[in-house]
Amino acid sequence: MDLIRILLVDDHPIVREGYRRLLGRQPGFCVVAEAGDGEAALAAFAEHRPDIVLMDLSMPGGGGFAAVEALLARDPQARIIVVSMHQGAIFARKAMAAGARGFVSKSSPPDELARAIVTVMGGRRALSTDMAQEFARTSFEEDDFASLTPRENDILLLLARGMNGRSIAHSLGLSSKTVQNNLSQIRAKLGASGDADLVLKAQRAGLVDAM
């Protein structure tokens, strides 16, 4: 049986090393490359043409949602599984809407990641058990966040994690004016009175843990 060739995309080297060791113990898996941000992921994907991309969402250089869309713009057949610390169903929904084939939370048991890889290689979509339960518990039609673009999702995530506009701009490689314009759009879409209200809405939607 041919090896399943995997690209790891996460901005934390220790996390990537953990994935590499975990996947190295699984028969039939081979990690062929790693990347720490979206730009590096595009370059690694072009060079190695992996079968599966494991993608974090919270990354510098454009953010994870934008990286998913950029990879799929290069190759619409790319198989991307998002692996994230965030367990809100909105994250999984937005990742799938962006074109990801699977979503596994980082709190899942290790065997769930391996199972998701095999499932996606088989042409099906994959969710870790906790995310499948979240999907069953919530309704996509009732999700006020569905209209947000990938960039707006990335900006909202960083805001909810405590970053100010200038820090968000630096992290995502955007101008401060662009970030402020996007925040205005986000407030309008979500009916938020200000940034504090946006953070509260993000917490209630499960994007981030309540402080």
Side-chain angles (χ1 to χ4, degrees):
M1 182 179 67
D2 292 337
L3 290 175
I4 298 174
R5 303 170 70 256
I6 299 167
L7 166 62
L8 303 178
V9 186
D10 193 293
D11 62 330
H12 293 95
I14 292 177
V15 173
R16 297 200 305 270
E17 177 62 22
Y19 287 151
R20 181 180 286 276
R21 292 186 179 185
L22 168 65
L23 297 171
R25 296 196 297 266
Q26 302 290 331
F29 292 171
C30 177
V31 175
V32 296
E34 301 179 17
D37 57 44
E39 184 177 351
L42 286 172
F45 185 86
E47 179 180 355
H48 296 279
R49 308 302 298 179
D51 300 306
I52 292 284
V53 179
L54 298 182
M55 175 80 70
D56 188 24
L57 289 181
S58 304
M59 296 187 303
F65 287 111
V68 170
E69 290 201 328
L71 274 176
L72 289 168
R74 293 279 186 89
D75 181 0
Q77 302 305 313
R79 303 180 187 93
I80 302 171
I81 299 174
V82 169
V83 185
S84 176
M85 63 180 288
H86 303 287
Q87 295 176 275
I90 179 59
F91 266 99
R93 288 173 179 141
K94 296 299 289 189
M96 296 294 201
R101 307 278 186 93
F103 193 104
V104 177
S105 72
K106 289 184 177 179
S107 61
S108 301
D111 63 324
E112 295 225 14
L113 180 58
R115 185 161 53 247
I117 291 172
V118 173
T119 298
V120 169
M121 283 298 297
R124 303 182 303 278
R125 293 182 179 272
L127 290 171
S128 56
T129 300
D130 55 351
M131 294 313 306
Q133 292 171 346
E134 279 295 300
F135 263 59
R137 189 177 63 83
T138 60
S139 170
F140 181 64
E141 288 75 20
E142 297 174 357
D143 194 339
D144 293 336
F145 292 75
S147 64
L148 298 185
T149 67
R151 173 178 285 180
E152 288 168 348
N153 273 287
D154 289 330
I155 289 173
L156 178 57
L157 169 60
L158 294 178
L159 177 74
R161 292 173 64 192
M163 295 178 67
N164 60 27
R166 180 176 299 178
S167 298
I168 293 171
H170 178 74
S171 178
L172 298 181
L174 303 172
S175 69
S176 294
K177 182 178 180 181
T178 296
V179 170
Q180 291 305 320
N181 288 341
N182 275 270
L183 283 172
S184 295
Q185 290 292 329
I186 296 168
R187 287 192 292 268
K189 289 180 178 181
L190 300 184
S193 59
D195 289 350
D197 194 23
L198 280 180
V199 173
L200 180 60
K201 288 177 180 293
Q203 291 171 351
R204 287 174 175 171
L207 272 73
V208 290
D209 293 332
M211 302 298 182

